[in-house]
Amino acid sequence: MANITDLGVAEIRDGFRAKDFSAREVAGAFNDAVAGAEALNCFIVTTPEKALEAADAADSALAAGTAGPLAGVPLGIKDLFCTKGVQSTAASHILEGFTPTYESTVSGKLLEAGAGMLGKLNMDQFAMGSSNETSYFGNVVSPWRRNDGGNTPMSPGGSSGGTSSAIAAHIVPAATGTDTGGSIRQPAAFTGICGMKPTYGRCSRWGIVAFASSLDQAGPMARSVKDCAILLEAMAGYDPKDSTSLDEPVPSWETALSGDLTGKKIGIPKEYRVDNMPEEIDALWKQGTEWLKDAGAEIVEVSLPHTKYALPAYYIIAPAEASANLARYDGVRYGLRELPDGANLQDMYAATRAAGFGEEVKRRIMIGTYVLSAGFYDAYYTQAQKVRTLIVRDFDNAWAQCDYLLTPTAPSAAFGLGDLSDDPIAMYLNDVFTVPSSLAGLPAIAVPGGLDKQGLPLGLQVIGKALDEQGVFNAGLALEERAGFSARAEKWW
């Protein structure tokens, strides 16, 4: 039998039900793997006892014939999800020590399905970042290294970098992520795993620390398309506690998985050919079209003319929503409180926020406050929302010509930690291929396609119509089957 920590969600689920191993054996193996990977800094909090408790409950449920769909599967939970009785910080000092008395809807659904929790995964602070360098608890390190013999620590991507690194390092079989402008898909591409951002509203946002409410969406990250489909079935569903939750049935995505794309049309958006894109990414994109042709699809070129405005529009809308959402952290109700001698209420607000927020969070709050101010609201925020409408319209027009879109996931392979930390604009450009579908609320999946000449993973992205997660999964599966990506980071940690 393979090493337990090399098994994915489906393999653990099926092996557990076949009694090849107990849930407690699985939890114990992953607890040991987590404890042995501290050098990656994937976790802010580990919960080995909770993983074992869930495992014991799964073993008992299996014996009683009542095991849930995820019984026996231990997962990591991104620290943006509030977890009852377990510190939930959004990787920020301002929430350090905050222990919720409630469970987020998504993590609660996973636990109800029988999954266990290995711990809370590190991330960019308040999900703001593309490299996992903005966490108050230190940066996450990717398990991948360049093949040049150097020891440069690589970024796992962001903001779900703890999630992507942990999955790629085989210390968790799968985990939750969140995606505001690419924070599931870009880290997945950087670490050679799969990541699915579902349609906006598919998964409840209740109990997820808010960044940008019209964009934030939870989704699964795992080592295969099938595992993502299994997890999303458990995560998705209507939630009356979230006003943006979609009252739609949850399909059986796993059962209907098929890599046969006969009769489907794949659009190649010409505006996604950006300047200075590495030749290897362009070559992989072309290879991806051949793989989808081989799966029976027809390839057509489409135009999304407002693509070039997506990134600037996003970096107005998202900070604007963040400046409003993060106003609640003032030292009064929960979290950090800084109270200098002789301070009045305003002084406490200022001191708490100055000490509690990181530099990137402060930058985005200031940008957001500026674009929402009386003199600039119409010039910036209103214009950005108009651009967003045009981007949605571009996608609607494209769907008249094709069923899915194929694009690169990120404009480069992973970069070294520190390489872009002094250049926020270069960092923001990492989202150039993922932001448009986020603004439009569309489902999109990242699938690993190969390695670059430095031995680092590269990913492809499939974007689909709203609520067509099945089609996106199927196209992703077609890519996965033909890419045959099986590379794994050589263990150094």
Side-chain angles (χ1 to χ4, degrees):
M1 187 182 74
N3 188 319
I4 284 178
T5 57
D6 291 335
L7 302 178
V9 173
E11 294 163 316
I12 293 172
R13 177 197 65 186
D14 297 344
F16 166 67
R17 289 180 178 275
K19 299 186 178 178
D20 294 337
F21 40 73
S22 68
R24 191 171 183 88
E25 287 179 272
V26 175
F30 279 103
N31 279 341
D32 290 345
V34 169
E38 290 183 0
L40 300 177
N41 199 32
C42 293
F43 284 86
I44 294 175
V45 174
T46 58
T47 56
E49 71 292 340
K50 286 192 171 292
L52 291 173
E53 286 172 14
D56 289 342
D59 286 331
S60 298
L62 183 65
T66 58
L70 291 178
V73 181
L75 301 172
I77 303 295
K78 184 178 179 179
D79 200 34
L80 209 63
F81 294 80
C82 288
T83 44
K84 185 176 181 180
V86 179
Q87 176 179 268
S88 303
T89 68
S92 178
H93 181 40
I94 208 162
L95 279 174
E96 187 175 12
F98 171 60
T99 304
T101 57
Y102 52 88
E103 190 79 33
S104 79
T105 297
V106 166
S107 57
K109 280 176 168 283
L110 292 170
L111 297 178
E112 287 168 16
M117 183 171 72
L118 292 161
K120 304 299 293 292
L121 290 157
N122 204 347
M123 52 177 280
D124 279 301
Q125 190 170 157
F126 282 104
M128 298 180 193
S130 301
S131 65
N132 224 132
E133 293 175 284
T134 70
S135 170
Y136 175 72
F137 301 95
N139 59 263
V140 175
V141 182
S142 172
W144 290 89
R145 288 281 195 262
R146 295 188 180 110
N147 60 12
D148 58 8
N151 293 315
T152 303
M154 306 305 295
S155 167
S159 65
S160 305
T163 297
S164 64
S165 180
I167 295 168
H170 290 229
I171 64 172
V172 302
T176 62
T178 61
D179 195 306
T180 306
S183 286
I184 284 175
R185 293 161 287 161
Q186 182 251 23
F190 273 20
T191 55
I193 65 168
C194 296
M196 175 71 168
K197 183 199 86 70
T199 304
Y200 179 78
R202 251 314 176 190
C203 295
S204 171
R205 292 186 301 109
W206 193 86
I208 300 175
V209 178
F211 164 14
S213 300
S214 74
L215 295 158
D216 297 343
Q217 185 57 205
M221 299 175 72
R223 288 194 288 273
S224 72
V225 172
K226 181 178 181 179
D227 286 355
C228 284
I230 292 168
L231 282 185
L232 188 58
E233 283 184 36
M235 296 168 67
Y238 175 64
D239 180 8
K241 298 193 293 292
D242 174 8
S243 63
T244 62
S245 176
L246 296 174
D247 191 0
E248 295 283 343
V250 177
S252 180
W253 290 302
E254 180 194 5
T255 302
L257 270 179
S258 169
D260 182 0
L261 301 183
T262 302
K264 300 296 183 182
K265 292 184 178 180
I266 307 295
I268 307 298
K270 62 183 181 180
E271 289 81 6
Y272 279 54
R273 294 189 172 91
V274 299
D275 294 337
N276 303 317
M277 187 166 72
E279 290 181 10
E280 293 159 305
I281 289 180
D282 192 47
L284 177 63
W285 193 8
K286 290 174 182 173
Q287 179 63 66
T289 65
E290 294 303 315
W291 285 332
L292 294 182
K293 273 187 193 176
D294 183 66
E298 178 187 346
I299 307 299
V300 298
E301 184 175 82
V302 299
S303 178
L304 301 172
H306 298 94
T307 295
K308 64 181 178 180
Y309 304 115
L311 207 61
Y314 172 85
Y315 278 102
I316 290 171
I317 294 168
E321 295 185 12
S323 73
N325 278 325
L326 271 61
R328 70 193 69 178
Y329 303 109
D330 53 15
V332 175
R333 290 171 287 267
Y334 48 80
L336 180 71
R337 175 181 294 178
E338 291 289 333
L339 193 60
D341 290 341
N344 61 25
L345 187 63
Q346 291 295 331
D347 295 335
M348 185 192 73
Y349 288 164
T352 298
R353 292 167 69 81
F357 291 137
E359 293 304 309
E360 181 62 27
V361 176
K362 291 175 185 174
R363 178 185 290 119
R364 298 199 195 192
I365 289 173
M366 291 175 69
I367 291 170
T369 304
Y370 178 80
V371 301
L372 291 176
S373 60
F376 300 101
Y377 184 96
D378 288 334
Y380 289 101
Y381 186 73
T382 301
Q383 289 296 101
Q385 291 289 18
K386 289 178 180 177
V387 168
R388 185 178 193 174
T389 300
L390 293 174
I391 289 167
V392 171
R393 195 172 299 162
D394 285 350
F395 280 108
D396 288 342
N397 292 336
W399 301 139
Q401 304 168 61
C402 65
D403 298 288
Y404 324 113
L405 299 171
L406 177 69
T407 78
T409 306
S412 71
F415 45 84
L417 289 170
D419 285 359
L420 303 181
S421 56
D422 294 329
D423 189 348
I425 301 301
M427 189 75 78
Y428 296 166
L429 287 170
N430 267 276
D431 299 331
V432 65
F433 296 136
T434 53
V435 155
S437 53
S438 289
L439 288 170
L442 300 175
I445 194 169
V447 179
L451 302 176
D452 73 357
K453 61 186 175 185
Q454 299 182 98
L456 298 174
L458 299 173
L460 290 167
Q461 175 182 224
V462 176
I463 304 169
K465 302 171 186 175
L467 296 176
D468 187 20
E469 281 82 4
Q470 188 68 64
V472 173
F473 279 133
N474 289 351
L477 181 64
L479 290 173
E480 181 180 71
E481 290 174 340
R482 286 155 182 80
F485 185 87
S486 60
R488 181 173 172 183
E490 186 175 333
K491 187 170 181 179
W492 55 265
W493 58 94

